[in-house]
Amino acid sequence: MSMKRIRGIFERETEREASYEPLEGGSERPDGERIEGPDNAFSWTAYSVFLLLGVAMLWAWNMFLAANPYFQRRFSHNDNLLRNFQSAIMSVSTVGNLGSMIVLTKLQARANYPRRIAASLVINIVVFTLLALSTRLFLGISAGVYFTFLMIMVLSASLAAGLCQNGVFAYVAGFGREEYTQGIMAGQGIAGVLPCIAQIVSVLSVPPKKEHVDGTPQQSSTSAFAYFLTATVISALALLAFTYLQRIHNSRVSLSSSTTLPDSTPSRKSIPLTHLFKKLTWLASAVFLTFVITMFFPVFTQTILSTHNPSSSSRLFQPSSFIPLGFLFWNVGDLLGRMGPAIPSLRLTAYPKILFLLSIARAAFVPLYLLCNIGGKGAAVASDFFYLVVVQLLFGVSNGYLGSSCMMGFVEWVDAEEAEAAGGFMSLCLVGGLTVGSFLSFFVAQVI
């Protein structure tokens, strides 16, 4: 692409910045058509609520990851479950999430998206309250019984995630503000960063003699109880905040329309997914490919060790803390990438083909992992800086930027009455990418 072409892209983007400014009557699409809405002016209150919903959306999944050492302790007397519980959690979660998303996306006509959001948060509150109690009660049950209980909790949480993703991305589309969608994506990034920090702190606070020989930290029931209880609190706060936002939004809608009742279940025309795909081909494909490729990073991150000598280096470079550090760098990059589209001059939502090409190009990050110290066998590039910054951080940035751009930009390419259904469809493509990527990652795990 010539420099003249690149300058032209950003010059046109600068001209379009006005369309993202708060307008009293609504925002505009690239073709100049207005997106009408009862209250289309930007609100920091609404942005904050959607940010919190984004945190709650992924906090549950990150709590399952953070509690892995605790689960290892619960399954320590059953070698088969100890080897396979992580794969079981990932498989049950992704399949349950995708299945619920397919069903919910099909059920458009009488969909009540606010109720779906509220129901998902209530389910999460129940699930993580039960998980917290399980760290205190019935500790003498067998590993098999606890595994069954855990899988039921994982499946329930994945169904809640499907409800939340479908409901939130459809609900936010009705506001006609791309900034709110960026807030959701930023909240998801925050949900990835904070558990990593908590895990590193918990590992470093444990004396070395309490670690397993493989470097995995011994995690107490108290730590797991705190993890699960935190997820309950986050979901409860999100439910209260969303209820407040919904009350304000409904009151403003009722003032602008005497025929629409705030609590009524809307009846809308069901829009075929093929129709939505024709309008959103490039963006839908881009978000799908982005998250397919992203799911390779956990496989490598769990096996790559520091290039420092474990016997003489700081505890930060020991496997028990270096592996969470790798996740932290990726998630920090992801969060930074998700914040990028909040700056109008950095948005590429008007150029879906470019986003699609970038989603393919980021596959180049995957071979870079092979240059790192996989399994302690030695690194072609013997540098922790190369691994943590060049590979992990930048790979995370590319995921956050492309994911947010795709999820923000779809509303520009559909009609106003299609926005909610398009939000559900795009979230389905996102989850589909995660599911396909998670299964492909199993093959990578066998190779490395």
Side-chain angles (χ1 to χ4, degrees):
M1 181 181 295
S2 66
M3 291 301 298
K4 182 178 179 181
R5 173 61 176 165
I6 295 175
R7 285 196 299 270
I9 289 176
F10 286 99
E11 287 173 0
R12 287 193 294 274
E13 180 63 42
T14 302
E15 294 174 356
R16 293 178 63 255
E17 288 185 15
S19 67
Y20 297 106
E21 296 297 324
L23 299 175
E24 185 174 348
S27 61
E28 295 181 356
R29 305 183 190 280
D31 59 5
E33 181 185 352
R34 280 180 172 271
I35 304 175
E36 300 297 340
D39 182 38
N40 202 51
F42 179 80
S43 165
W44 279 109
T45 299
Y47 181 89
S48 300
V49 173
F50 284 117
L51 180 77
L52 184 56
L53 287 171
V55 172
M57 194 182 297
L58 286 192
W59 193 271
W61 170 247
N62 283 287
M63 284 301 97
F64 281 119
L65 294 179
N68 266 348
Y70 173 74
F71 295 143
Q72 288 176 350
R73 201 180 80 169
R74 292 297 296 257
F75 299 128
S76 60
H77 299 297
N78 188 313
D79 291 338
N80 185 46
L81 292 179
L82 184 62
R83 286 193 305 268
N84 297 299
F85 81 90
Q86 290 176 321
S87 298
I89 288 177
M90 181 176 291
S91 299
V92 170
S93 180
T94 53
V95 171
N97 196 356
L98 179 62
S100 64
M101 288 291 295
I102 292 175
V103 174
L104 293 170
T105 305
K106 288 285 188 179
L107 301 176
Q108 301 173 22
R110 299 287 297 176
N112 189 311
Y113 295 113
R115 288 182 182 175
R116 291 182 178 181
I117 298 171
S120 71
L121 296 172
V122 170
I123 293 173
N124 271 342
I125 291 172
V126 173
V127 166
F128 284 97
T129 298
L130 291 175
L131 283 168
L133 291 175
S134 73
T135 65
R136 292 286 189 265
L137 306 174
F138 308 109
L139 298 179
I141 62 176
S142 67
V145 173
Y146 184 76
F147 177 79
T148 302
F149 165 77
L150 180 61
M151 290 302 103
I152 293 174
M153 295 299 99
V154 170
L155 179 60
S156 300
S158 69
L159 296 178
L163 279 168
C164 193
Q165 288 168 324
N166 176 267
V168 169
F169 284 115
Y171 182 69
V172 73
F175 284 75
R177 300 293 311 194
E178 292 181 341
E179 298 91 338
Y180 296 159
T181 304
Q182 185 275 329
I184 296 171
M185 301 299 289
Q188 292 180 338
I190 293 173
V193 169
L194 294 183
C196 292
I197 295 176
Q199 190 173 11
I200 293 173
V201 171
S202 67
V203 170
L204 295 179
S205 65
V206 175
K209 64 181 181 179
K210 291 187 178 180
E211 292 190 0
H212 296 295
V213 293
D214 64 355
T216 302
Q218 180 74 270
Q219 188 179 83
S220 66
S221 296
T222 301
S223 298
F225 178 82
Y227 282 154
F228 296 138
L229 190 61
T230 300
T232 300
V233 172
I234 292 293
S235 297
L237 290 176
L239 180 60
L240 291 175
F242 175 70
T243 301
Y244 173 74
L245 175 65
Q246 179 68 0
R247 184 180 298 114
I248 293 176
H249 185 61
N250 279 343
S251 65
R252 290 174 179 172
V253 170
S254 63
L255 289 176
S256 63
S257 175
S258 59
T259 60
T260 302
L261 296 176
D263 295 327
S264 61
T265 300
S267 178
R268 55 178 70 84
K269 181 181 178 181
S270 181
I271 302 171
L273 299 185
T274 52
H275 173 77
L276 293 173
F277 182 73
K278 287 179 181 178
K279 287 194 170 185
L280 301 171
T281 301
W282 299 111
L283 287 177
S285 301
V287 76
F288 177 82
L289 289 175
T290 293
F291 285 94
V292 167
I293 296 171
T294 288
M295 288 306 289
F296 289 98
F297 101 89
V299 177
F300 290 103
T301 305
Q302 291 173 1
T303 60
I304 293 178
L305 305 180
S306 172
T307 57
H308 289 73
N309 188 339
S311 61
S312 59
S313 60
S314 165
R315 287 197 67 199
L316 186 62
F317 298 102
Q318 300 292 327
S320 56
S321 52
F322 187 77
I323 291 175
L325 185 65
F327 279 104
L328 176 61
F329 268 80
W330 191 93
N331 280 291
V332 168
D334 180 56
L335 178 58
L336 293 175
R338 290 169 187 259
M339 299 301 293
I343 304 173
S345 60
L346 297 181
R347 291 177 187 159
L348 290 176
T349 54
Y351 306 97
K353 290 184 180 179
I354 293 179
L355 293 174
F356 175 74
L357 293 176
L358 290 175
S359 70
I360 297 176
R362 70 189 297 265
F365 278 99
V366 176
L368 296 182
Y369 282 105
L370 301 177
L371 303 178
C372 302
N373 189 21
I374 298 178
K377 300 176 182 177
V381 180
S383 169
D384 288 339
F385 177 85
F386 172 78
Y387 166 61
L388 293 175
V389 177
V390 177
V391 181
Q392 289 289 73
L393 185 71
L394 295 184
F395 193 34
V397 168
S398 68
N399 178 77
Y401 178 78
L402 290 175
S404 291
S405 297
C406 293
M407 297 306 294
M408 288 175 64
F410 74 84
V411 74
E412 299 180 1
W413 302 96
V414 296
D415 298 331
E417 63 273 11
E418 299 170 339
E420 288 185 341
F425 171 70
M426 287 295 291
S427 59
L428 173 63
C429 294
L430 189 157
V431 174
L434 290 174
T435 304
V436 173
S438 67
F439 282 106
L440 291 177
S441 68
F442 285 116
F443 295 101
V444 177
Q446 301 303 317
V447 174
I448 62 175

